[in-house]
Amino acid sequence: MKRSLTKFSVLTFLCLLFFNSTFAQNITVQGTVTDAADKSAMPSVSVLIKGATTGTQTDANGKYSISVPANSILVFSYVGYTRREIPVSNQTTINVSMSSASQDLQQVVVVGYGTQKRRDVTGAISSVKGDDIARMPATNPVSSLQGKVAGLTVVNSGTPGASPTVRIRGINSTNSANPLYVVDGILSDNIDFLNPGDIESIDLLRDPSSIAIYGLRGANGVIAVTTKRAARGKTSINFQTMFGIQHVTNKIDVTDATGFKKLYSAQLSNLSAAPFDFTNYTGNTDWQDQILRNANINTNTLSISNTGEKSSTLLSIGYNNQDGVVKYDNYKKYIVRLTEEISLNNNIKVGGNITGFRFTSQPSPVSLNSAIWASPIVPIQVNDNTYYSMPSFQRAQVGNPVAALNNRSNVSVNGGYRAVGSIFAEVKFLKDFTFRSTGYIDLGFNNNRSYTPLPFRFVNIGENGAANTTTFDQTARTSVRQEQAEYRSFQQDHTLSYDKTLEGGHKISAIVGFTSIYSASTTQSGSRSDSTVNIPNSPDFWYINVANASNPGNFGGAGSESSSVGAFARVNYSYKDKYLLNATIRRDGSSKFAPQNRWGTFGSVGLGWVVSDEDFFKSIKGIDFLKLRAAWGKLGNANGLADNLYRPGISNAGTAVFGNNVYSSIQAAYIPDPNLHWEVVNGTDLGLDMRALDNRVTAQLNFYNRTTTDILTSLPIPNDSRSYFTNLGKITNKGIEVSLGWNDKIGSDFTYSISPNFSYNKNVVNSIGDNINFQILGNGGVNKTETGNSIGYFYGYKQTGIYQSTADLGKMPRMSNSLPGDIAYEDVNGDGVISPADRTYLGTPFPPYSYGLNVTMGYKGFDMQLEGQGVSGNKIYTQRRTSTFAVLNYESNRLNAWTGGGTSNVEPILDNSRGNNYLFSTYYLEPGDYFRIRTAQLGYTFGPSLFGKTGIQKLRIYVSGQNLKTWTKATGYTPEAQIGNILGGGADNGVYPVPAVYSVGLNVTF
């Protein structure tokens, strides 16, 4: 009986379950599907009931309606977008935002020759959204990366069109520290040809497991750029424009006429020289005000995209115009980019893109130093063709800055073209395999013409009772110069990838490939003046053949070519998405080395452990995700080196006389080591990725140790003008990188985020050869590279004060010719005298500490962004203050010069004949520390409901300020240390100002 009752109960339960599922009442669910990137409606999105074939699609406005069981799950999918599954749970309205799988930086990042889920990454990779780049007032997209990524140093220049200096994790070599740029797969030395509005994302690859697959070019880090593609399933038109005013906020503080007269008179008195007659010098000219200006900057991007069932097309047109803050300075660039992708069927896809780039530039003809050095007591000009010359004490060395500016303005035609493109074919077969073949081309051509006009007339102001005189250089002749440069690069990549998910939680993704690059360049130049006829001041006549062909000319030319090939393989493996492995191997060959030495094999291994997925971790509250990473890699480096290193060029040698004939000889330009080979970079990286408190907190921590050995270096040869080029030396960079984030909301409308980052890098030259007492000097001996210190460190004397009296000279270490009022230096070696042996380490030009802060807030349609950025720990060399070739204007610090005992213990006496005071010392060094309000921006976004049937999907307007305030003790135009020169960096010799920019912008999508 009991057994029969049990059977009856089970039967009854099954019948009730069947009855409920059969006759349960459906509900109607409706909503709108939008693109997460631009909030626009998405038509033709598939909406299915999970586990069934029932479904619908969104209409042209992204809307859908479907009848479903109340407890079902809706699946939203579209090609190229991340699939979403949403439980209905009796909801009648479900609005969905979909993210593009190729653009969602929270899910995938760019790695070598492919992409990878961020969760699976075992290396240190950081991403910056294209929108964060496009909204910044800069014509070069790299400039806008400053302060955004830990471990990345960006030094900007205010010069229109100039590329910033970029360093990733310090200085890796004495030859080059520039990173590799990879734009949609093509390898490049810069991305000047890109429009900021065309960028979808930028990924920075810093550790060995990330960069090893790029082989010989990737040793200094990789900046991978993904450009925009057509949005799926719709036609879209987007227009972005920005207009701004640039303003120099930090002029160099120099004396006015009153201060100059006071200091120059004191200097003459110290020299026991006759006073200068200032009677006729009634001017009070601020030469910096005369050559600087408020300058315009404007960027524009128009993009049109369309996607059909089988193809997608994007056309982008850009125009950028930047005036320099120095008068007449200008840079323009015009960019057209076309991207096309066609799916022939579900397994075959072809496509390509081409970017056409045209630039014109009009560089300023005047040096900023001339405005700093020119005496302020001189008026500017009499009329348009007659200017006042400088006083007799600087007339031969320093000219009238305004005269130079006006005479040499608009006398050059500089421009160039560049075409960068690719074409690819991709075939998927056997379900898990994909073969892709891509060809790239990069062609550039620059053409510059310039003209030297006749000079103006000058008025020499009378001195010591003499009358004014007007002069004109009768020997001056007009001249023209032409330059042409051509660059070409061809690249091919062929890859076979395999992607498979196996039973038991095993996932394998593998790729093998072959790549080759051929690069070549040629330059030609020539100039000629005409001794009989003045060449007209018109671009139509700025050609060498216009000048008399019988007049001698100066001509030159150069060229180079190189090639490299590589084969690589990479395997990514994960088990249950918890245990991660990344292994890479690559073999490269380069034409820079002799055939027997040009090949090298390199590779990397990366490991990851998603600790938060372990059972023992699930009881830990507050931490949503925790991953530990470790990576090691070895790769070769030959960046920044000449082609065909093993085959030196020739140079002139001695001459010999045989009878009545004189014979010249030639020799190799340098002596190459027959065993020249790669520099070798070994690196270790340890990292942690974490999310906590319901994903409101994010954190990334990296520790790295990177060593370069076999550095390619030139050794001086005793009793020979040439050098010996060989592999020697070892450089280590160790550091930490910390990136934090807090994202939260208050109520339903107010959101905010705070994202600080910090990095520290310690650079040490471990050795320069074995048993070789060898030093590398830079910038005339100011910088020094040797074992035990950082590369290119400042090397000189330490100032301890000023000798106040003869008594000080008797009891303090000094030089034999030291006098009261001179700089007192530290006796480093303790021998009782000051000599060159007392020169020592004074600091580094390369900032060891860098940091950034990004704060965003949003309230309904409003958004606000505040960015700060800074560095610390480095020094800046005020080289602009060290010239003694003439009497120059004084910077304001000299108003505190020593005039007698107790008057100053920092500023020496005004006497440019005392050479001891011009020795390089800490007197000429300033702290390079600074913190800057990099960006402050306020914007408002209008939704489509405001515009009715106009077709406008989104419209954002904003106002922005950049470089608004800088806290620093540096006295130059900018505190950003000039670190482009590895062995002689950190000098400020009148660096071009980095201005504040006040701008307004518009971004509208149709």
Side-chain angles (χ1 to χ4, degrees):
M1 181 68 181
K2 184 176 180 181
R3 187 174 180 182
S4 300
L5 182 60
T6 302
K7 290 182 179 180
F8 177 79
S9 299
V10 172
L11 182 59
T12 302
F13 174 77
L14 292 176
C15 291
L16 289 173
L17 182 63
F18 175 80
F19 181 87
N20 181 66
S21 62
T22 305
F23 296 97
Q25 185 176 2
N26 285 5
I27 63 173
T28 299
V29 177
Q30 58 186 2
T32 304
V33 180
T34 57
D35 190 313
D38 59 12
K39 311 303 180 186
S40 59
M42 291 184 61
S44 303
V45 175
S46 174
V47 185
L48 295 175
I49 301 172
K50 187 174 183 178
T53 58
T54 306
T56 185
Q57 286 189 338
T58 57
D59 62 16
N61 297 315
K63 297 183 180 301
Y64 74 94
S65 178
I66 186 172
S67 178
V68 299
N71 59 351
S72 61
I73 296 176
L74 288 182
V75 179
F76 298 83
S77 63
Y78 194 86
V79 176
Y81 281 74
T82 303
R83 173 189 172 107
R84 295 203 60 184
E85 296 185 5
I86 300 177
V88 174
S89 300
N90 289 308
Q91 300 178 84
T92 58
T93 301
I94 299 178
N95 296 320
V96 179
S97 177
M98 298 189 69
S99 299
S100 171
S102 62
Q103 299 170 5
D104 188 352
L105 299 179
Q106 298 303 315
Q107 293 190 348
V108 296
V109 295
V110 173
V111 295
Y113 305 95
T115 60
Q116 190 175 14
K117 288 184 178 181
R118 182 177 296 279
R119 176 189 177 91
D120 298 335
V121 168
T122 60
I125 300 178
S126 298
S127 302
V128 179
K129 295 180 180 179
D131 289 344
D132 294 336
I133 303 298
R135 67 179 61 178
M136 296 296 109
T139 58
N140 191 303
V142 180
S143 300
S144 301
L145 293 176
Q146 190 179 49
K148 287 183 168 64
V149 178
L152 175 70
T153 299
V154 177
V155 176
N156 282 318
S157 171
T159 305
S163 298
T165 301
V166 180
R167 300 288 181 259
I168 297 177
R169 291 186 170 181
I171 306 298
N172 214 34
S173 169
T174 59
N175 296 294
S176 174
N178 297 328
L180 170 68
Y181 296 91
V182 182
V183 182
D184 295 330
I186 188 169
L187 278 57
S188 180
D189 293 327
N190 63 70
I191 54 173
D192 298 347
F193 63 94
L194 284 181
N195 200 25
D198 285 339
I199 295 176
E200 183 63 44
S201 66
I202 296 180
D203 294 288
L204 290 98
L205 286 61
R206 307 192 293 276
D207 73 292
S209 72
S210 301
I211 62 180
I213 199 167
Y214 287 108
L216 62 98
R217 295 283 297 275
N220 295 324
V222 176
I223 297 179
V225 181
T226 302
T227 59
K228 291 181 178 178
R229 296 292 187 266
R232 295 289 182 180
K234 60 182 177 178
T235 298
S236 176
I237 300 174
N238 177 262
F239 177 66
Q240 301 178 53
T241 184
M242 179 278 300
F243 176 80
I245 301 294
Q246 305 166 96
H247 173 70
V248 178
T249 56
N250 298 308
K251 292 194 306 179
I252 293 177
D253 193 3
V254 296
T255 59
D256 60 8
T258 300
F260 178 85
K261 292 175 182 179
K262 173 185 175 181
L263 295 184
Y264 186 46
S265 297
Q267 180 170 318
L268 291 173
S269 176
N270 293 333
L271 292 167
S272 299
F276 184 80
D277 180 12
F278 291 107
T279 303
N280 295 330
Y281 286 93
T282 59
N284 186 18
T285 304
D286 186 329
W287 295 106
Q288 293 180 83
D289 275 354
Q290 294 299 317
I291 71 168
L292 295 174
R293 64 177 176 179
N294 291 334
N296 297 335
I297 182 172
N298 176 228
T299 64
N300 305 273
T301 304
L302 173 65
S303 63
I304 304 171
S305 65
N306 179 66
T307 301
E309 183 179 353
K310 296 291 186 179
S311 66
S312 64
T313 305
L314 185 144
L315 173 66
S316 173
I317 302 171
Y319 167 70
N320 299 333
N321 180 25
Q322 182 180 10
D323 291 329
V325 292
V326 178
K327 291 180 180 178
Y328 303 112
D329 205 349
N330 177 263
Y331 177 83
K332 295 182 177 70
K333 68 178 182 180
Y334 312 82
I335 304 168
V336 177
R337 190 172 70 91
L338 177 63
T339 299
E340 180 74 22
E341 188 174 296
I342 302 173
S343 297
L344 301 180
N345 55 43
N346 292 334
N347 297 318
I348 300 177
K349 181 168 60 176
V350 297
N353 67 76
I354 182 72
T355 299
F357 169 69
R358 162 70 173 162
F359 79 91
T360 62
S361 68
Q362 191 66 243
S364 175
V366 68
S367 166
L368 284 167
N369 277 339
S370 67
I372 300 169
W373 292 341
S375 173
I377 63 177
V378 179
I380 301 170
Q381 63 191 104
V382 178
N383 53 49
D384 288 345
N385 294 306
T386 307
Y387 288 78
Y388 289 100
S389 64
M390 295 295 102
S392 58
F393 53 75
Q394 65 173 205
R395 185 174 301 153
Q397 295 85 14
V398 179
N400 183 314
V402 176
L405 186 71
N406 293 337
N407 181 251
R408 299 299 303 275
S409 63
N410 299 314
V411 291
S412 64
V413 177
N414 307 301
Y417 300 89
R418 189 172 177 183
V420 181
S422 68
I423 185 170
F424 77 89
E426 181 179 287
V427 179
K428 294 183 178 181
F429 60 98
L430 298 179
K431 188 179 179 181
D432 303 314
F433 291 88
T434 302
F435 177 78
R436 185 181 179 98
S437 184
T438 310
Y440 305 89
I441 189 170
D442 186 352
L443 304 176
F445 180 78
N446 296 346
N447 191 338
N448 304 323
R449 294 184 289 135
S450 60
Y451 170 71
T452 303
L454 293 175
F456 293 126
R457 293 181 178 275
F458 287 91
V459 174
N460 297 330
I461 296 176
E463 300 171 4
N464 299 318
N468 291 355
T469 59
T470 302
T471 62
F472 178 79
D473 186 1
Q474 298 292 339
T475 64
R477 294 290 182 267
T478 58
S479 64
V480 293
R481 179 175 180 82
Q482 284 184 256
E483 297 178 356
Q484 290 184 344
E486 177 253 349
Y487 166 84
R488 56 194 182 276
S489 177
F490 305 96
Q491 175 185 335
Q492 59 173 330
D493 294 342
H494 308 285
T495 61
L496 175 64
S497 59
Y498 172 79
D499 198 341
K500 183 70 172 179
T501 299
L502 304 173
E503 294 183 0
H506 302 277
K507 292 182 181 179
I508 297 177
S509 175
I511 187 171
V512 295
F514 170 83
T515 181
S516 71
I517 301 176
Y518 169 82
S519 300
S521 64
T522 57
T523 59
Q524 295 177 335
S525 63
S527 63
R528 176 174 280 142
S529 60
D530 202 312
S531 59
T532 57
V533 178
N534 287 324
I535 302 169
N537 189 353
S538 169
D540 294 340
F541 297 92
W542 297 347
Y543 296 96
I544 292 177
N545 66 339
V546 172
N548 193 333
S550 62
N551 292 325
N554 294 315
F555 303 95
S560 66
E561 61 178 329
S562 66
S563 61
S564 64
V565 295
F568 56 86
R570 180 180 63 214
V571 175
N572 293 315
Y573 167 78
S574 70
Y575 176 63
K576 294 186 177 180
D577 290 331
K578 291 190 295 186
Y579 310 109
L580 312 172
L581 169 68
N582 176 305
T584 301
I585 188 170
R586 175 155 177 157
R587 183 163 176 80
D588 272 317
S590 171
S591 65
K592 294 186 177 184
F593 303 99
Q596 67 273 19
N597 298 320
R598 65 180 37 152
W599 289 94
T601 302
F602 310 99
S604 68
V605 176
L607 299 173
W609 179 25
V610 183
V611 184
S612 54
D613 278 4
E614 298 288 358
D615 292 338
F616 69 82
F617 198 88
K618 297 186 183 301
S619 61
I620 299 177
K621 304 299 182 182
I623 299 180
D624 306 297
F625 177 81
L626 176 63
K627 179 174 67 175
L628 302 180
R629 295 178 280 104
W632 171 88
K634 176 182 177 181
L635 57 160
N637 183 33
N639 292 317
L641 297 168
D643 300 325
N644 301 312
L645 294 172
Y646 66 101
R647 294 190 298 191
I650 59 175
S651 63
N652 292 327
T655 58
V657 178
F658 295 93
N660 295 325
N661 299 318
V662 179
Y663 296 90
S664 61
S665 64
I666 60 174
Q667 63 183 0
Y670 58 87
I671 307 299
D673 185 333
N675 295 315
L676 277 178
H677 58 271
W678 302 88
E679 296 180 351
V680 179
V681 180
N682 286 277
T684 302
D685 197 90
L686 301 175
L688 175 151
D689 299 323
M690 185 183 72
R691 296 196 304 268
L693 301 180
D694 294 328
N695 295 309
R696 288 176 293 179
V697 175
T698 59
Q700 184 182 82
L701 173 66
N702 297 304
F703 168 78
Y704 62 88
N705 185 342
R706 185 176 63 182
T707 300
T708 305
T709 58
D710 295 342
I711 297 170
L712 289 158
T713 308
S714 294
L715 289 172
I717 300 176
N719 303 317
D720 196 314
S721 60
R722 297 174 297 168
S723 59
Y724 180 65
F725 199 67
T726 186
N727 293 92
L728 55 82
K730 178 181 178 183
I731 296 175
T732 295
N733 287 276
K734 295 181 180 180
I736 60 172
E737 300 162 345
V738 181
S739 299
L740 303 174
W742 172 267
N743 302 272
D744 203 1
K745 61 190 306 183
I746 300 175
S748 59
D749 296 320
F750 184 81
T751 61
Y752 68 97
S753 68
I754 303 172
S755 303
N757 66 78
F758 167 82
S759 62
Y760 166 72
N761 179 79
K762 183 178 182 180
N763 175 274
V764 176
V765 179
N766 304 107
S767 69
I768 302 182
D770 297 326
N771 303 317
I772 300 176
N773 183 18
F774 177 58
Q775 303 167 347
I776 304 174
L777 300 179
N779 197 9
V782 167
N783 302 86
K784 187 176 182 181
T785 299
E786 65 175 353
T787 300
N789 285 306
S790 62
I791 192 169
Y793 71 86
F794 289 120
Y795 175 67
Y797 298 92
K798 289 184 177 181
Q799 180 184 11
T800 59
I802 301 292
Y803 296 113
Q804 301 295 328
S805 63
T806 54
D808 280 353
L809 295 172
K811 63 184 179 181
M812 298 173 63
R814 63 181 179 88
M815 296 180 179
S816 59
N817 58 348
S818 295
L819 295 171
D822 285 352
I823 296 176
Y825 299 116
E826 180 180 331
D827 181 18
V828 174
N829 64 359
D831 63 359
V833 296
I834 303 300
S835 68
D838 293 307
R839 291 177 295 173
T840 186
Y841 177 90
L842 301 181
T844 175
F846 305 103
Y849 302 95
S850 62
Y851 49 92
L853 176 66
N854 184 31
V855 179
T856 65
M857 288 183 281
Y859 179 72
K860 295 186 176 180
F862 288 96
D863 62 88
M864 190 277 286
Q865 182 175 14
L866 183 68
E867 290 183 354
Q869 171 266 332
V871 304
S872 65
N874 65 301
K875 301 291 185 181
I876 296 175
Y877 171 34
T878 55
Q879 192 168 10
R880 64 180 190 274
R881 296 178 174 176
T882 62
S883 299
T884 59
F885 58 83
V887 176
L888 307 175
N889 194 12
Y890 306 91
E891 295 193 24
S892 60
N893 61 296
R894 299 299 280 142
L895 291 170
N896 300 315
W898 185 90
T899 58
T903 55
S904 176
N905 203 37
V906 176
E907 294 292 335
I909 188 172
L910 289 161
D911 185 344
N912 61 358
S913 69
R914 300 196 186 184
N916 292 351
N917 296 328
Y918 290 90
L919 297 173
F920 178 63
S921 70
T922 52
Y923 172 73
Y924 292 107
L925 291 179
E926 297 178 332
D929 308 14
Y930 74 87
F931 178 74
R932 172 180 288 160
I933 302 298
R934 172 71 173 149
T935 302
Q937 188 173 112
L938 177 65
Y940 185 81
T941 301
F942 299 89
S945 59
L946 181 67
F947 303 101
K949 298 182 179 180
T950 61
I952 297 177
Q953 296 295 318
K954 184 185 73 171
L955 187 149
R956 180 178 183 267
I957 58 174
Y958 64 89
V959 294
S960 180
Q962 194 170 39
N963 305 325
L964 296 178
K965 175 64 178 177
T966 303
W967 289 269
T968 182
K969 293 183 179 179
T971 57
Y973 288 118
T974 174
E976 297 185 45
Q978 303 305 296
I979 58 175
N981 187 331
I982 294 175
L983 300 176
D988 181 347
N989 204 9
V991 176
Y992 202 100
V994 175
V997 185
Y998 311 97
S999 59
V1000 296
L1002 169 72
N1003 186 334
V1004 58
T1005 300
F1006 296 88

